[in-house]
Amino acid sequence: MKEKIYKRFQEIFGAEGEIGIYFAPGRVNLIGEHTDYNGGHVFPCALTIGTYGAARRRKDNKLRFYSMNFEHLNVIESSLDDLKPRRNAGWTNYPKGVIWAMKQKGYDIPCGIDLMLFGNIPNGSGLSSSASVEILTGYVLNDLFDLGISNQDLALLGQFSENNFNGVNCGIMDQFAIAMGKKDQAIFLDTSDLSYEYAPIRLKGASIVISCSNKKRGLGDSKYNERRVECEKALQEIQKVKNIESLGQLTEEQFESVKDAVKDTTRRRRARHAVYENQRTIKAVQALKENDIGLFGKLMNESHISLRDDYEVTGTELDTLVEEAWKVEGVLGSRMTGAGFGGCTVSIVKDEAVDTFIRQVGKAYRAAIDYKADFYAVQIGDGPRKL
Ligand code: GLA
């Protein structure tokens, strides 16, 4: 891959100067969904698939971008003096956003760059291809300009750019999982203070299988922001009767005793998801530590039900994938992953059942939905690096 990208970079941008080759992973979240902007816990891991990049400093202020995934778009040019999100700038709004964020935070970006990307994360799949591009860009700039930024701060810069440049009010999970990824480990992150610990994923004869619904997120981003506002309102109502800073501070029992403060029943269900999902995540990590994969899987299933019924971010496609997965013998747990509204599910499947899983779920999905699903057995990989 390294040679392929290097060669293509030279073809597109010319061969002179020093060219660096980089990689940043994608991520999958095992459990803890829509908790990261509620001060709760998440449990994601980085993948071995992700975004490759080739980059070089320029002598002027120009920014030149090229994606091997969108060759028809050709080279997209911009400049350090024009760091504004533009509707027709497509994917380049992500690297531009990170450069903008770095400048906002006072980092010195002395000249422009040429940047070529190639991603092998299925697009719009909910495996965080955009956060992967953000962390890759941050890592590239950090290296090219010797900025001395820690990986954790790269994650915060990525989130800052996504929130303020790209207008998606996301939490920290995706950027953190990617920037801090470690082979064969998931990250148990407390989003209230960013304390975290790595937990080895030993599935004893089972694999992580991603099922991609091929339903693009579409309206997802606005719905995402809407859920966030619902949770904020519910928190404000609860704060009138209990002194808390986030929904993540409540146990299930505490929530039950204050829930009537949330007047609107829909909003109450949103808050219930945030509280119960956080507690489920804590329990799931404990189960994993005790090697109880069965309980871990059961909590994954409960997570999906809560996302379907209380949080309402699943939809027919994701529900079909999960409900069909639950029918297959050898499936230990299955749930939607990421923001929802389309994208992927994550399932823990016994190795001997993976083929049947793909066949059976694929067939049922095709029969229920107009298009097909794609399946990937994935591995947990390291964070960003220079190759
Ligand atoms: C998206 C966001 C994350 C997180 C998830 C839902 O992936 O970027 O911050 O909120 O949705 O858990």
Side-chain angles (χ1 to χ4, degrees):
M1 188 60 78
K2 195 176 163 187
E3 288 68 38
K4 195 174 148 196
I5 291 173
Y6 190 83
K7 201 166 151 262
R8 192 80 185 119
F9 184 95
Q10 291 191 321
E11 282 165 10
I12 299 292
F13 290 125
E16 68 282 357
E18 198 184 321
I19 303 163
I21 310 289
Y22 306 83
F23 175 78
R27 71 96 186 88
V28 65
N29 187 23
L30 297 177
I31 193 162
E33 219 65 83
H34 290 278
T35 47
D36 66 345
Y37 50 86
N38 285 308
H41 293 77
V42 292
F43 195 49
C45 47
L47 299 172
T48 52
I49 51 175
T51 314
Y52 291 84
R56 172 178 70 194
R57 298 169 70 122
R58 295 184 53 83
K59 296 206 168 59
D60 54 21
N61 263 2
K62 275 188 195 159
L63 298 167
R64 292 197 301 172
F65 301 110
Y66 186 88
S67 167
M68 289 168 68
N69 298 85
F70 304 106
E71 299 219 299
H72 62 281
L73 296 178
N74 254 308
V75 174
I76 299 180
E77 241 188 68
S78 183
S79 135
L80 282 180
D81 311 312
D82 177 36
L83 291 172
K84 291 193 194 72
R86 298 212 184 275
R87 204 174 281 185
N88 61 2
W91 69 272
T92 68
N93 279 326
Y94 292 105
K96 272 171 67 179
V98 173
I99 300 170
W100 171 86
M102 285 185 162
K103 289 185 70 165
Q104 288 287 310
K105 296 285 176 189
Y107 292 104
D108 180 31
I109 311 291
C111 59
I113 61 168
D114 292 333
L115 177 67
M116 166 177 284
L117 298 187
F118 171 70
N120 57 5
I121 307 171
N123 243 311
S125 62
L127 300 180
S128 281
S129 53
S130 49
S132 177
V133 170
E134 287 160 5
I135 297 303
L136 183 99
T137 308
Y139 197 88
V140 162
L141 293 170
N142 200 19
D143 185 57
L144 289 183
F145 303 132
D146 228 349
L147 301 173
I149 307 173
S150 68
N151 278 16
Q152 183 163 325
D153 283 342
L154 286 181
L156 291 166
L157 281 163
Q159 184 199 18
F160 183 79
S161 74
E162 181 96 37
N163 291 168
N164 300 295
F165 195 87
N166 287 299
V168 179
N169 223 352
C170 67
I172 188 62
M173 171 170 75
D174 304 346
Q175 290 82 3
F176 198 96
I178 290 170
M180 306 296 282
K182 214 177 220 173
K183 188 173 176 348
D184 297 331
Q185 317 262 335
I187 309 173
F188 183 43
L189 170 68
D190 180 346
T191 63
S192 70
D193 60 4
L194 296 190
S195 58
Y196 65 96
E197 74 185 79
Y198 289 103
I201 301 294
R202 288 188 219 95
L203 296 176
K204 293 190 294 183
S207 304
I208 302 176
V209 181
I210 304 286
S211 311
C212 186
S213 70
N214 286 323
K215 182 187 183 214
K216 298 278 181 252
R217 287 239 310 255
L219 279 180
D221 291 348
S222 58
K223 284 263 184 237
Y224 181 92
N225 289 346
E226 194 181 292
R227 289 292 178 279
R228 201 171 165 151
V229 170
E230 289 172 325
C231 286
E232 278 160 13
K233 280 199 183 140
L235 173 65
Q236 283 163 11
E237 290 172 285
I238 294 175
Q239 280 169 331
K240 290 191 185 131
V241 297
K242 192 165 177 66
N243 184 16
I244 51 164
E245 274 164 34
S246 70
L247 294 174
Q249 286 178 337
L250 294 175
T251 60
E252 295 102 327
E253 296 74 28
Q254 285 169 333
F255 174 75
E256 294 303 328
S257 70
V258 296
K259 67 179 183 203
D260 292 342
V262 185
K263 296 290 170 248
D264 178 77
T265 53
T266 304
R267 202 151 60 228
R268 197 180 302 155
R269 280 188 290 119
R270 306 294 191 242
R272 182 166 64 189
H273 168 77
V275 171
Y276 278 70
E277 179 74 355
N278 179 43
Q279 296 300 326
R280 242 189 314 271
T281 306
I282 298 169
K283 286 180 201 150
V285 175
Q286 191 53 37
L288 200 66
K289 279 187 187 156
E290 288 161 12
N291 271 316
D292 192 346
I293 314 286
L295 178 56
F296 188 86
K298 198 170 153 273
L299 292 163
M300 285 176 76
N301 297 346
E302 286 173 13
S303 164
H304 185 83
I305 293 169
S306 177
L307 288 155
R308 183 189 67 192
D309 299 343
D310 278 350
Y311 219 62
E312 295 183 279
V313 291
T314 56
T316 320
E317 292 81 0
L318 292 173
D319 287 339
T320 303
L321 283 175
V322 165
E323 284 155 24
E324 290 302 328
W326 289 342
K327 292 181 193 163
V328 179
E329 203 174 322
V331 170
L332 300 169
S334 184
R335 56 180 289 276
M336 60 147 267
T337 183
F341 315 105
C344 290
T345 69
V346 56
S347 310
I348 312 273
V349 187
K350 285 197 174 148
D351 289 337
E352 66 271 18
V354 170
D355 287 345
T356 317
F357 173 91
I358 294 176
R359 209 174 335 108
Q360 209 169 305
V361 177
K363 195 169 165 214
Y365 187 80
R366 189 73 183 84
I369 312 287
D370 248 7
Y371 41 86
K372 70 177 191 46
D374 290 315
F375 299 89
Y376 311 86
V378 291
Q379 313 293 326
I380 302 178
D382 280 317
R385 54 201 179 264
K386 193 167 185 180
L387 300 177

